[in-house]
Amino acid sequence: MKPSAPVWLFDLDNTLHNASHAIFPAIMANMNAYIARVLGDGDTPAGIEQVNAARTLYWKRYGATLLGLIKHHNVKAEHFLRETHHMEDLLSMIRHEKGLGRMLKRLPGKKIVLTNAPHRYSTAVLRHMGIQRHFENHISIESMRVHRQLRPKPSKLLLRKVMRRHGATASRCILVEDTLANLRTAHALGLGTVWVTQYLKVGDPIGTAHPPQRLHRPAWVDVKVKSVKRLPARLARLR
């Protein structure tokens, strides 16, 4: 690969496929049940108001609900991820655009999946979409450890580690995401940023959506696209 070739860091959920359709609601139901058990007294699960308050607090404070559960409730990351991402009918729940493989093939440079989802789940989704072979690396949340501590997106430590591992400067890297908080961190480090908006929905339970009137492009977003399939046409804005 040429030294000047870009390194693409692709988010998965609501970037490469429509997780809001069925997958996010299922994960949210699993997550609520899990947190209710953790916050309960051993016999009776916690109520939904207590669950919502804890989930929102930890997501805002740490960038991921899981980090709060680990820090304050001694939850094991592997157990949480396995329980919350277990879906019997996962493959039937996946919705994605056709032609993603052709789009990825057209993009110059290295492509990497960088997802806060667990490896087993994200691998199943990528394989079902038939695009796994287009990525040189697949970084799931289990691999997002810095100094033995879990550091998922939007961690600056994580992004620096990814760049070091692939020998890439920030100016060569482009983060493609639906989540503005992750893009803001990437921009602060000097990465290019692409905001994918088509799967964002009002009131999305995972907390990454925005009402339609707020879908203006923030200063830390270099390019806003409805679909990742528009990336080849927007290359000039990113190079």
Side-chain angles (χ1 to χ4, degrees), residues 32-48 50-51:
N32 284 344
Y34 190 98
I35 297 172
R37 292 194 298 271
V38 169
L39 300 182
D41 59 14
D43 294 316
T44 306
I48 190 63
Q50 187 179 357
V51 168

Side-chain angles (χ1 to χ4, degrees), residues 194-206:
V194 177
W195 186 27
V196 182
T197 62
Q198 73 172 335
Y199 300 130
L200 299 179
K201 292 184 178 180
V202 177
D204 197 310
I206 296 297

Side-chain angles (χ1 to χ4, degrees), residues 31 34-35 38 54-85 115-118 140-145 149-153:
M31 192 182 295
Y34 190 98
I35 297 172
V38 169
R55 189 187 64 248
T56 303
L57 173 65
Y58 295 155
W59 186 76
K60 288 182 177 178
R61 182 178 294 177
Y62 302 110
T65 299
L66 172 57
L67 296 185
L69 294 173
I70 292 171
K71 185 177 181 67
H72 298 288
H73 304 282
N74 297 314
V75 163
K76 299 296 183 185
E78 296 77 9
H79 186 258
F80 173 86
L81 293 167
R82 184 172 64 250
E83 294 290 308
T84 56
H85 286 74
T115 173
N116 280 3
S140 57
I141 192 169
E142 294 95 334
S143 301
M144 294 178 175
R145 292 189 178 274
Q149 298 294 315
L150 198 62
R151 293 285 184 260
K153 295 180 294 185

Side-chain angles (χ1 to χ4, degrees), residues 12-203:
L12 176 63
D13 293 332
N14 268 6
T15 298
L16 292 171
H17 73 106
N18 184 359
S20 289
H21 166 71
I23 292 175
F24 274 176
I27 292 174
M28 183 55 56
N30 290 343
M31 192 182 295
N32 284 344
Y34 190 98
I35 297 172
R37 292 194 298 271
V38 169
L39 300 182
D41 59 14
D43 294 316
T44 306
I48 190 63
E49 287 187 9
Q50 187 179 357
V51 168
N52 286 337
R55 189 187 64 248
T56 303
L57 173 65
Y58 295 155
W59 186 76
K60 288 182 177 178
R61 182 178 294 177
Y62 302 110
T65 299
L66 172 57
L67 296 185
L69 294 173
I70 292 171
K71 185 177 181 67
H72 298 288
H73 304 282
N74 297 314
V75 163
K76 299 296 183 185
E78 296 77 9
H79 186 258
F80 173 86
L81 293 167
R82 184 172 64 250
E83 294 290 308
T84 56
H85 286 74
H86 176 70
M87 288 160 271
E88 294 286 353
D89 302 320
L90 172 61
L91 299 186
S92 69
M93 299 161 72
I94 298 170
R95 296 290 184 276
H96 66 93
E97 295 179 282
K98 294 180 180 179
L100 291 179
R102 290 192 298 274
M103 178 276 296
L104 290 166
K105 192 173 182 179
R106 287 177 62 196
L107 286 180
K110 180 186 295 186
K111 294 99 181 176
I112 298 168
V113 172
L114 188 67
T115 173
N116 280 3
H119 191 266
R120 184 176 180 180
Y121 158 84
S122 51
T123 297
V125 174
L126 289 169
R127 284 179 176 168
H128 182 75
M129 292 195 293
I131 60 174
Q132 188 179 27
R133 69 183 183 277
H134 295 285
F135 297 99
E136 295 188 33
N137 201 359
H138 173 188
I139 303 172
S140 57
I141 192 169
E142 294 95 334
S143 301
M144 294 178 175
R145 292 189 178 274
V146 183
H147 307 308
R148 298 184 179 181
Q149 298 294 315
L150 198 62
R151 293 285 184 260
K153 295 180 294 185
S155 168
K156 289 183 178 179
L157 292 173
L158 166 73
L159 291 174
R160 289 192 181 108
K161 181 179 179 179
V162 171
M163 288 188 288
R164 284 196 306 271
R165 181 183 298 173
H166 293 277
T169 59
S171 61
R172 281 179 55 205
C173 296
I174 302 166
L175 181 64
V176 184
E177 270 272 359
D178 67 299
T179 305
L180 285 174
N182 298 342
L183 293 169
R184 188 170 195 167
T185 297
H187 179 80
L189 290 176
L191 282 76
T193 52
V194 177
W195 186 27
V196 182
T197 62
Q198 73 172 335
Y199 300 130
L200 299 179
K201 292 184 178 180
V202 177

